[in-house]
């Protein structure tokens, strides 16, 4: 049995952000038309070493995408000089059941997480968007910027982060990488008030901005929060939005504090959600209707995006004869 080994360098070489954005559109479209099987993840506590091992399987038949992402959470790894959240994607041939590839799951997650915001931006943001603000300058931030700049001709990027040195360094990196005007925001309010697109990729438990700062026609991506305690987007922004979209109903309503908190407080119900992003791709739900609408997108992630992106990366690697193989 031949297994292709695909690391970060190979993914970077053969797979573009636009490839990932299209893969996510396809994956979410498959999910929204009930064309995938995404079981609940399995979580095994490894108490002897204060770790957890998580298994996230999925199958999207139309994309021939079958596999499982293995994610471990071992906080003590930091003291050992190794990643505290290592991840590996195992891709399986859906015709034979054989393992056909091992991929860098950590980098795959970064790429597909950025790409889902890119997909939402492409489908929901104004075509003439020029100003973009990102909240957060951590490990997930770069792919978020890459994705938005891949689908819109952004002229100005503002970076908001609690760490001044980090936001300055990240803004300088983005400016050099994309040849775009990028700067650390002196004021989050001023940045948001000017922005056509706002992406939040933090782990905060308090909203990052005031809903009144959003200008007509703005689009918001909520990417960072993934537990009931976390909340990046103010409830009023969701309540007053003209269109509210999610990657999956199940994920957002069970994991995202942005929705769980205000729903529990009676501010709105789950009926405020216009639809899944896959519904927009499938044409069963309408996206942006005019230039003045405010739209909000929330993602908590889904294994359907992991398996479809992994399959597409594998196909690209084969086409480019990239990566080493092992035989078992």
């Amino acid at each position: 049995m031949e297994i292709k080994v695909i690391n970060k360098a190979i993914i970077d070489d053969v797979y573009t952000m636009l490839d990932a954005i299209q893969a996510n559109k396809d994956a979410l479209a498959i999910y929204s038309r009930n064309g995938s099987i995404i079981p609940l993840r399995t979580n095994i506590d490894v108490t002897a070493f204060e770790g957890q091992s998580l298994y996230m399987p999925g199958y999207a038949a139309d994309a021939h995408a079958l596999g499982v992402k293995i994610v471990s959470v071992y906080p003590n790894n930091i003291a050992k000089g190794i990643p505290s959240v290592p991840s590996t994607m195992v891709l399986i041939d859906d015709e034979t059941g054989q393992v056909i590839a091992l991929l860098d799951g950590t980098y795959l997650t970064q790429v597909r997480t950025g790409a889902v915001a890119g997909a939402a931006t492409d489908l929901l943001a104004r075509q003439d968007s020029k100003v973009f603000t990102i909240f957060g300058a951590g490990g997930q931030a770069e792919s978020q910027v890459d994705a938005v700049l891949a689908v819109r001709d952004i002229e100005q990027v503002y970076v908001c982060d609690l760490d001044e040195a980090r936001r300055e360094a990240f803004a300088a990196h983005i400016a050099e990488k994309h040849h775009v005007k990028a700067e650390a925001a002196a004021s989050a309010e001023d940045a948001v008030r000017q922005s056509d697109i706002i992406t939040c990729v933090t782990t905060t438990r308090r909203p990052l901005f005031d809903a009144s700062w959003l200008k007509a026609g703005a689009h918001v991506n909520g990417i960072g929060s993934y537990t009931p305690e976390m909340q990046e987007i103010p409830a009023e922004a969701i309540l007053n939005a003209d269109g509210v979209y999610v990657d999956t109903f199940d994920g957002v309503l069970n994991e995202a504090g942005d929705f769980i908190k205000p729903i529990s407080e009676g501010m709105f119900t789950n009926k405020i959600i216009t639809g899944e992003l896959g519904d927009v791709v499938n044409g069963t739900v309408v996206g942006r209707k005019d230039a003045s609408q405010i739209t909000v997108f929330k993602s908590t992630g889904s294994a359907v995006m992991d398996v479809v992106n992994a399959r597409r990366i594998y196909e690209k690697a084969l086409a480019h004869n990239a990566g080493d193989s092992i035989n078992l």
Side-chain angles (χ1 to χ4, degrees):
M1 181 170 61
E2 184 176 289
I3 301 173
K4 181 74 73 174
V5 179
I6 304 173
N7 60 19
K8 177 181 183 295
I10 294 168
I11 296 172
D12 264 343
D13 189 44
V14 304
Y15 202 61
T16 69
M17 179 54 73
L18 287 176
D19 290 333
I21 288 170
Q22 186 60 54
N24 277 349
K25 288 180 181 179
D26 295 341
L28 293 177
I30 291 169
Y31 179 92
S32 292
R33 60 176 181 262
N34 298 316
S36 61
I37 301 172
I38 308 297
L40 293 174
R41 69 187 179 191
T42 298
N43 187 347
I44 298 175
D45 288 322
V46 187
T47 54
F49 299 101
E50 299 179 37
Q52 291 180 312
S53 188
L54 292 82
Y55 301 83
M56 301 169 62
Y59 179 44
D62 288 353
H64 296 286
L66 174 66
V68 57
K69 187 168 72 174
I70 304 170
V71 183
S72 297
V73 181
Y74 277 63
N76 295 336
N77 281 0
I78 295 175
K80 301 174 183 178
I82 57 178
S84 58
V85 190
S87 176
T88 301
M89 183 74 206
V90 181
L91 185 66
I92 300 166
D93 187 324
D94 65 334
E95 182 179 351
T96 66
Q98 292 185 308
V99 173
I100 52 176
L102 300 175
L103 296 89
D104 181 332
T106 303
Y107 189 58
L108 169 68
T109 302
Q110 291 176 355
V111 171
R112 68 87 158 151
T113 303
V116 75
T121 299
D122 195 31
L123 292 166
L124 301 172
R126 288 173 51 148
Q127 290 289 336
D128 61 352
S129 296
K130 298 298 181 187
V131 182
F132 170 45
T133 288
I134 183 163
F135 282 91
Q140 292 285 350
E142 185 167 356
S143 67
Q144 297 294 324
V145 176
D146 292 347
V148 170
L149 269 60
V151 297
R152 290 295 182 270
D153 293 325
I154 299 298
E155 297 176 352
Q156 172 72 59
V157 178
Y158 291 110
V159 178
C160 298
D161 191 275
L162 292 175
D163 188 311
E164 181 179 358
R166 187 164 64 178
R167 66 175 180 260
E168 292 279 359
F170 185 64
H173 173 67
I174 291 303
E176 181 178 1
K177 179 179 181 179
H178 290 284
H179 307 291
V180 66
K181 186 177 181 182
E183 58 189 279
S187 162
E189 179 176 355
D190 289 346
V192 171
R193 286 188 180 277
Q194 296 177 62
S195 292
D196 304 298
I197 301 165
I198 299 98
T199 291
C200 306
V201 59
T202 75
T203 55
T204 183
R205 296 189 175 199
R206 300 172 60 185
L208 294 164
F209 58 89
D210 192 288
S212 65
W213 300 352
L214 294 173
K215 70 177 187 178
H219 171 69
V220 179
N221 294 309
I223 305 298
S225 69
Y226 57 89
T227 72
E229 297 77 28
M230 297 177 184
Q231 185 179 15
E232 299 181 298
I233 305 172
E236 293 81 6
I238 297 170
L239 181 62
N240 298 325
D242 299 291
V244 179
Y245 305 85
V246 298
D247 58 353
T248 70
F249 279 106
D250 284 347
V252 168
L253 293 176
N254 287 291
E255 297 177 348
D258 307 85
F259 285 77
I260 293 171
K261 287 184 179 182
I263 287 174
S264 69
E265 294 167 2
M267 290 190 66
F268 51 75
T269 71
N270 59 9
K271 294 186 183 300
I272 201 166
I273 298 173
T274 309
E276 292 178 332
L277 197 65
D279 293 323
V280 179
V281 179
N282 290 329
T284 56
V285 167
V286 177
R288 174 177 291 275
K289 297 177 183 177
D290 61 60
S292 66
Q293 286 189 312
I294 290 176
T295 53
V296 173
F297 170 70
K298 176 60 196 163
S299 172
T300 54
S302 171
V304 71
M305 292 185 281
D306 290 318
V307 294
V308 173
N309 275 281
R311 179 73 194 200
R312 299 283 173 85
I313 291 168
Y314 170 72
E315 291 169 353
K316 286 270 189 174
L318 287 182
H320 287 80
N321 196 27
D324 294 326
S325 295
I326 58 175
N327 289 284
L328 296 179

